[in-house]
Structure formats: C-alpha cells, structure tokens
Amino acid sequence: MFPSVIRSCPARRVLHAGIAALAAATLTGTLGGCSSGSAGSPPPAPSPSSASAGPSGSVTPSVVLDERQRGRTVRATVGTLIVVRLHSAYWSTPTSSSPRVLAPVGGGTTTTGTCPPGRGCGISSARFTVLGPGTAHVTARRHACGEAMRCPPGQGRYDVTVAVTR
C-alpha cells in the first residue's frame, strides 16, 4: 500500500521535475566552462573603468583591461586598481615593467571547468595598484594559440601602456 501512495503523490512528481531541472543546470554549467570562440578570443567584457568599495567603505577607482586594450595607452591616477584579465590559459601572468608605478598585488592562471584539449579555457589575470606617477607597460606572452598551433604574428604578445598622473 505504501509504494502505491508514493507513486501517485503529486509531491513526488514535483521532486522528479526539480531533480531533472537541477541535472540540466549542472550539465549546462559544466559544458559552459569554455567559450565557443577560438582560443584566446575574449568574451564580452565589462567596461574598462569601474569602482569598488575598499575595506573602510571608501570607493577605490579601478580599471579592467583585457585583449581589447592591447596596444593602447590607458590613463590612471595614483591609488587606482588595475585588473588585467586575458581570456586564455595560454597567456603568461601579466607583469608590470615598473613596479614603482604599478605594484603587483596578485594574479595567476585559473582554468574553467572541463575543457576540450587545445582550447586553453581559463583566465590569466593580474592585479596592480598604481603607486606613483610615470609610465609602465603591462605585458604577457603566449607561444601557443591552440593545441599544437603557433600564434600568428601579433597574437603572441600583450602590451598595454599605463600612463599615471597624480
């Protein structure tokens, strides 16, 4: 008698629907870890400038850079947080040419979910605090732009100039 009650119970049907939805969401999240574009092509990114709240509640200006700013000059002021996000695990961790201007405060490469071989799914990132006026270059390199695929000319080096004023 008990099993027949469970089989006809509306709550059980809702539970099964919920489990199916959870399984679909999990599968989508797992497969969505890599972009469908070529290795190193950036997804839509946030605006280059934003602000974040500091520990005391004060607002710290920040600049977010990605592949779209390659070869450009970005202006910043002392105290700004510079965040670099390169959309491929093939990139080296971005570095500053002048730590007295742009001091590194973190970074590295993170992979995203499961990824087919050769896609380089992940983000190479770095964070810098602007310490003083001057000019610094944020650079990164990659030798591969896919599995066993050398980068075409102009695609293996990332360089953004950061011009800092007080």
Side-chain angles (χ1 to χ4, degrees), residues 98-127:
S98 178
R100 291 182 182 180
V101 177
L102 290 180
V105 292
T109 301
T110 57
T111 57
T112 53
T114 58
C115 182
R119 296 293 301 272
C121 299
I123 295 177
S124 182
S125 65
R127 295 166 45 116

Side-chain angles (χ1 to χ4, degrees), residues 28-150:
T28 302
T30 302
L31 296 177
C34 295
S35 66
S36 59
S38 63
S41 60
S47 64
S49 297
S50 61
S52 59
S56 65
S58 63
V59 175
T60 302
S62 62
V63 175
V64 179
L65 305 174
D66 64 14
E67 292 86 348
R68 293 178 291 184
Q69 286 79 35
R70 179 180 28 222
R72 295 187 181 168
T73 297
V74 175
R75 305 209 182 282
T77 58
V78 173
T80 300
L81 176 67
I82 305 287
V83 179
V84 182
R85 292 186 185 126
L86 302 177
H87 298 89
S88 172
Y90 292 127
W91 286 108
S92 64
T93 301
T95 59
S96 167
S97 66
S98 178
R100 291 182 182 180
V101 177
L102 290 180
V105 292
T109 301
T110 57
T111 57
T112 53
T114 58
C115 182
R119 296 293 301 272
C121 299
I123 295 177
S124 182
S125 65
R127 295 166 45 116
F128 304 94
T129 299
V130 178
L131 293 182
T135 301
H137 290 268
V138 175
T139 59
R141 292 193 168 279
R142 64 181 175 177
H143 299 288
C145 287
E147 185 173 6
M149 190 171 90
R150 296 198 95 174

